[in-house]
Amino acid sequence: SKSSQPVEKFFNQLLIARATDLARDGQFVEAEDILLRDGGIRDSEAATDLLARIAIHQGQTERAKRLWESLLEKNPGFDCSIGADVSC
């Protein structure tokens, strides 16, 4: 329902923040679990970008590129560069 959208968005932001903290601490599996649990966080550029960044840290460059490509299809202006070494 439309009235539950702000609550869902807020909850998703909390989940992304928690997953970001875990990823910063090197707990990539735990971070992915939060982002993908129960079908994952839907329609979230931030969640997809974080999954791509986690993939890079895990040496899964092709997976990261696929995730970023999906973001760029939805939003051609999305900036997913993470430094001089890797970008989408």
Side-chain angles (χ1 to χ4, degrees):
S1 75
K2 204 167 196 166
S3 64
S4 68
Q5 287 176 349
V7 173
E8 183 178 347
K9 185 176 180 179
F10 177 72
F11 185 67
N12 286 346
Q13 289 172 339
L14 289 176
L15 291 176
I16 292 166
R18 178 66 183 136
T20 300
D21 287 343
L22 288 168
R24 283 188 184 130
D25 289 341
Q27 298 179 37
F28 302 121
V29 173
E30 294 84 352
E32 283 183 313
D33 183 52
I34 287 174
L35 296 172
L36 299 173
R37 184 182 305 149
D38 300 325
I41 298 173
R42 289 167 284 158
D43 299 325
S44 171
E45 289 181 355
T48 303
D49 184 50
L50 182 55
L51 285 169
R53 291 167 189 267
I54 289 170
I56 289 293
H57 285 287
Q58 294 175 320
Q60 301 171 358
T61 307
E62 290 304 313
R63 178 174 174 237
K65 286 182 180 180
R66 283 192 307 272
L67 287 163
W68 278 324
E69 285 170 1
S70 74
L71 280 177
L72 288 169
E73 286 175 13
K74 294 175 188 173
N75 180 359
F78 186 78
D79 178 14
C80 52
S81 60
I82 62 170
D85 295 346
V86 181
S87 70
C88 58

